[in-house]
Amino acid sequence: EQYQVKTIDQVKGDLSRDEKLQLMDKNKNLFQYDTGDVVRGKNAYCNEDLINIDIKPQNREHSAKLYAKISIPKVYSGGSNNMYSAGITGNKIGLEFIQDKLSDIGIIADIQNFKISRLDTFRDVHLEKPIAEYRDSFSLVNPIRNQMKMEFGKETVLFKNKSQQLCFYDKLLESVQSGSFIPNELKDRNIMRGENRFIKTSKVNQAFDKYKMHNNVLILTDPNGYRSIKQMYKDDISKMFYDDYEKNQNYKKLEVIEKVKHYRNMGKSYANVIKFIGIETLFNLDLHDKFIDIFYSDNRHMRSQKRREMKHLLREIMSQDYDVSCMYRELREAFLNVA
């Protein structure tokens, strides 16, 4: 049985710059240095384990901007982890938590007036193999359809543009590294998390407009709004994990060739470009010979030498029964929940 969750994780809300904040006496030190000068910009904040609050004050009576950021599942779990879905009940608790925390530090602000300026949603899937083995399967994913660039980190695969990110990683490994509690029933599982992050207000507004929703944090507690937000996740993932991966390979070939030429023109070394592109990606897309031709177009001896090395590597990979296309299909079925 697969362990699958699709829900809201991180939410960042902001109070419109047109809203006036009422400040209690007990928070005056938050807005004033020991010298008596007023704190401005990023210097006014309240960061705790479960919440980050940034205040942009103009003076001690009102503020131009206020941001509050939480992970709803983490708040819902009492701070132990963000492994499980919080649902609408958890969303309500999360918003109440923001309201209470603002009051605690001396800020009177109605949570109903907050807009969402960042929204992260995720799905966790249980896979057959260790998560690291799926890394090269993403060579068949098509970031072009989402107008994104793909980056391979040490332990993550990231697709991004200026307003959105799709990030895939080993959730249990991340939990161990962050010191989060891992429930016993999940400790022996291979869980990949796929996050869809709307990192700018303009992207949140664009997505909400598409689904005919008004940008307000209360949409998180509305059943119809909550369903639409989950559908946003599936729609964005579907653009990448789609069935016709042979066509995707053609797109990917063109993209990889352009990247190789770009790095070659920048003076990057053969070894460094292989490390960045990935040797399995070159083999899976049948671009290993083309790659060598680009780097050593004027050196016949080096072309022959590098092709011999490539053939040796290819035999090693084939001997390990490495089938990236099968693993890609497993990823696709898991994230889209299709048989």
Side-chain angles (χ1 to χ4, degrees), residues 205-215 219 225 228 232:
N205 290 337
Q206 180 188 46
F208 279 24
D209 287 346
K210 180 180 178 181
Y211 288 84
K212 304 185 185 308
M213 296 192 299
H214 178 63
N215 185 350
I219 201 72
S228 294
M232 290 178 192

Side-chain angles (χ1 to χ4, degrees), residues 86-269:
I88 291 180
T89 299
N91 294 345
K92 291 178 179 178
I93 291 174
L95 297 185
E96 291 171 358
F97 179 79
I98 294 175
Q99 185 82 77
D100 293 342
K101 183 55 62 176
L102 290 174
S103 178
D104 288 345
I105 65 173
I107 294 177
I108 301 175
D110 191 347
I111 194 70
Q112 297 185 59
N113 295 326
F114 274 65
K115 296 182 182 299
I116 299 172
S117 55
R118 172 166 177 158
L119 181 65
D120 294 3
T121 53
F122 71 88
R123 162 162 274 188
D124 286 351
V125 296
H126 175 226
L127 300 172
E128 295 297 326
K129 299 177 181 294
I131 301 304
E133 296 187 22
Y134 292 85
R135 175 187 174 92
D136 295 306
S137 302
F138 285 94
S139 65
L140 297 178
V141 169
N142 185 12
I144 296 175
R145 290 178 61 136
N146 275 8
Q147 297 182 324
M148 291 181 170
K149 295 180 179 180
M150 179 168 60
E151 293 182 359
F152 285 97
K154 184 178 180 181
E155 294 161 351
T156 62
V157 179
L158 180 67
F159 302 86
K160 69 176 185 177
N161 57 36
K162 292 182 179 180
S163 61
Q164 184 180 8
Q165 297 177 353
L166 291 162
C167 186
F168 300 86
Y169 58 93
D170 185 330
K171 179 56 186 172
L172 295 192
L173 177 61
E174 184 267 344
S175 296
V176 170
Q177 292 174 341
S178 64
S180 298
F181 171 76
I182 301 175
N184 288 332
E185 64 269 21
L186 302 180
K187 287 183 177 179
D188 296 327
R189 300 203 179 191
N190 302 312
I191 299 175
M192 179 181 288
R193 173 161 292 190
E195 294 184 357
N196 187 15
R197 305 166 179 168
F198 296 162
I199 59 177
K200 288 192 175 182
T201 307
S202 58
K203 180 61 182 179
V204 176
N205 290 337
Q206 180 188 46
F208 279 24
D209 287 346
K210 180 180 178 181
Y211 288 84
K212 304 185 185 308
M213 296 192 299
H214 178 63
N215 185 350
N216 183 280
V217 292
L218 296 184
I219 201 72
L220 305 179
T221 63
D222 175 71
N224 291 329
Y226 187 57
R227 280 193 294 270
S228 294
I229 288 172
K230 292 194 290 184
Q231 186 62 41
M232 290 178 192
Y233 178 94
K234 185 170 184 177
D235 288 348
D236 282 345
I237 294 294
S238 296
K239 293 177 185 177
M240 299 169 61
F241 290 108
Y242 69 109
D243 195 33
D244 194 357
Y245 68 89
E246 290 183 2
K247 289 183 180 179
N248 188 28
Q249 281 186 305
N250 292 329
Y251 284 118
K252 192 63 184 175
K253 283 183 179 181
L254 294 174
E255 183 187 23
V256 170
I257 289 172
E258 289 303 313
K259 281 185 177 181
V260 171
K261 290 179 178 178
H262 174 70
Y263 290 122
R264 178 69 177 87
N265 292 336
M266 290 176 62
K268 300 293 184 182
S269 71

Side-chain angles (χ1 to χ4, degrees), residues 5-17:
V5 174
K6 184 168 60 180
T7 187
I8 294 167
D9 183 8
Q10 183 170 270
V11 173
K12 183 178 181 181
D14 72 84
L15 195 66
S16 168
R17 63 178 71 250

Side-chain angles (χ1 to χ4, degrees), residues 15 19-25 27-28 30-32 38-40 55-65 106-109:
L15 195 66
E19 292 286 338
K20 184 175 180 180
L21 296 182
Q22 294 177 278
L23 308 180
M24 302 177 190
D25 289 339
N27 83 327
K28 63 182 180 181
L30 190 65
F31 296 92
Q32 192 173 23
V38 175
V39 176
R40 296 183 182 276
I55 308 104
K56 312 298 183 186
Q58 291 179 329
N59 54 48
R60 292 174 61 183
E61 282 69 45
H62 66 280
S63 175
K65 207 71 167 168
I107 294 177
I108 301 175

